[in-house]
Amino acid sequence: MNEKPLTSLSGYVLLLAAIVCLVSSTAVAWANLNVFVAALLFLTAVVLFIGITVINPNEAVVCTFFGDYVGTMKQNGLRWVNPLYSKKKISLRARNLNGQTIKVNDKMGNPIEIAAVVVWQVSDTAKALFDVDNYQTFVQIQSEAAVRFLTSSHAYDNMEDEHETVTLRDNTGQINKFLEQELDERLSQAGVRVMEARISHLAYAPEIAGAMLQRQQATAVVSARKQIVEGAVGMVEMALARLAEKDVVQLDEERKAAMVSNLLVVLCGEKSVSPVVNAGTLYN
């Protein structure tokens, strides 16, 4: 079922006509001129009053006639339609859905906690009211289902899967786009348009948070040590090349190995090194 517009009349003129009919019926009845005319004027006034409805900005009125969908009025102000129509108001304003934090296993099976914020609004009033039972509950349940599907389709980070190009932690922009597309597909049948969707909370579950923190710390230490060793090796190579270039001292292979060992200890050590003066030679 698709939304179709319903043409309505201006309610101001008919409100004035209803007031005139009501006053006239009162006057006729008070003067005892004609009871039938007074009743007819009063009935006309009641019918005109029933057909009048107020439509606020960003609000729509869905009309049905004995179970048949007639159309949707979106003109703001005081409007008038057939008084036999059943009318139901529905808001067209943007709404926020602050999803609850849920625990889901990611692509690698790690339990994580995740939550999302969704900004949505009704775009098709007919689908929202007649294609689903309760469109607000539908949005809430489908949003949680979309978050669960998105989480199970991607890894938390690259530590578990080095070949993963899009992760929940490192690619928030793309993850938000994927979430928005998934929600659009799920909520379009309810006449709901997703304006924005973002991950608001993302963390490891408490039972593995400590172990994952230790793993991240170990990875950071290994990465730092790797850079330190690479830099130290480059500095040793540069020192040996400069000594040979300047012909400062002639070193055989054993002395070079001793020099390389000392330099690596100095450059790679975590604490400051205390120099030791050797008064003899390498061989004595």
Side-chain angles (χ1 to χ4, degrees), residues 6-278:
L6 177 63
T7 303
S8 58
L9 302 176
S10 176
Y12 298 100
V13 176
L14 293 176
L15 176 62
L16 179 61
I19 295 174
V20 170
C21 291
L22 183 61
V23 173
S24 300
S25 65
T26 304
V28 170
W30 183 264
N32 292 325
L33 297 178
N34 192 322
V35 178
F36 177 76
V37 174
L40 183 61
L41 291 173
F42 179 78
L43 182 61
T44 303
V46 171
V47 170
L48 292 177
F49 277 123
I50 293 176
I52 293 175
T53 183
V54 178
I55 304 178
N56 298 316
N58 282 329
E59 190 177 63
V61 175
V62 180
C63 298
T64 58
F65 183 69
F66 293 106
D68 185 22
Y69 172 62
V70 179
T72 301
M73 295 187 299
K74 291 185 177 180
Q75 304 95 329
N76 298 331
L78 196 65
R79 311 300 299 180
W80 188 90
V81 291
N82 190 334
L84 296 179
Y85 289 168
S86 297
K87 298 181 286 292
K88 185 172 183 179
K89 292 186 177 181
I90 182 171
S91 175
L92 303 179
R93 300 180 181 92
R95 311 185 193 185
N96 281 322
L97 173 62
N98 189 10
Q100 297 181 353
T101 301
I102 57 177
K103 185 185 295 184
V104 192
N105 291 338
D106 68 352
K107 183 179 179 181
M108 307 308 298
N110 297 319
I112 64 175
E113 293 182 345
I114 188 171
V117 174
V118 181
V119 182
W120 61 278
Q121 67 176 168
V122 175
S123 59
D124 192 309
T125 57
K127 289 183 178 180
L129 290 181
F130 305 123
D131 284 358
V132 294
D133 186 29
N134 187 317
Y135 68 93
Q136 298 184 27
T137 304
F138 186 85
V139 170
Q140 182 178 357
I141 295 176
Q142 290 299 321
S143 298
E144 181 177 335
V147 172
R148 290 183 180 274
F149 174 78
L150 181 72
T151 305
S152 61
S153 302
H154 297 84
Y156 182 86
D157 52 27
N158 290 321
M159 292 186 184
E160 292 287 344
D161 189 0
E162 297 180 354
H163 302 289
E164 184 74 17
T165 57
V166 179
T167 61
L168 298 173
R169 187 186 67 174
D170 300 328
N171 304 97
T172 55
Q174 297 183 32
I175 291 297
N176 292 334
K177 290 182 180 179
F178 291 157
L179 178 59
E180 187 174 335
Q181 293 174 0
E182 182 68 21
L183 286 171
D184 268 330
E185 294 178 0
R186 292 172 178 267
L187 300 181
S188 59
Q189 59 180 319
V192 172
R193 181 174 70 91
V194 178
M195 304 174 65
E196 185 181 7
R198 291 184 177 274
I199 301 298
S200 59
H201 174 77
L202 180 65
Y204 281 114
E207 57 266 26
I208 66 167
M212 291 301 177
L213 179 60
Q214 292 179 357
R215 187 184 68 173
Q216 292 176 358
Q217 291 174 345
T219 303
V221 170
V222 171
S223 179
R225 285 294 180 184
K226 182 179 179 180
Q227 294 183 0
I228 291 174
V229 171
E230 290 179 354
V233 171
M235 294 177 67
V236 170
E237 291 178 350
M238 181 180 64
L240 292 176
R242 293 295 299 273
L243 288 174
E245 180 183 352
K246 298 295 183 180
D247 197 16
V248 176
V249 62
Q250 296 295 329
L251 301 175
D252 57 12
E253 294 301 323
E254 189 172 356
R255 287 187 172 86
K256 286 183 180 180
M259 180 179 178
V260 169
S261 176
N262 293 334
L263 286 174
L264 287 177
V265 170
V266 172
L267 295 174
C268 297
E270 294 183 358
K271 299 180 180 179
S272 60
V273 180
S274 301
V276 178
V277 179
N278 185 9

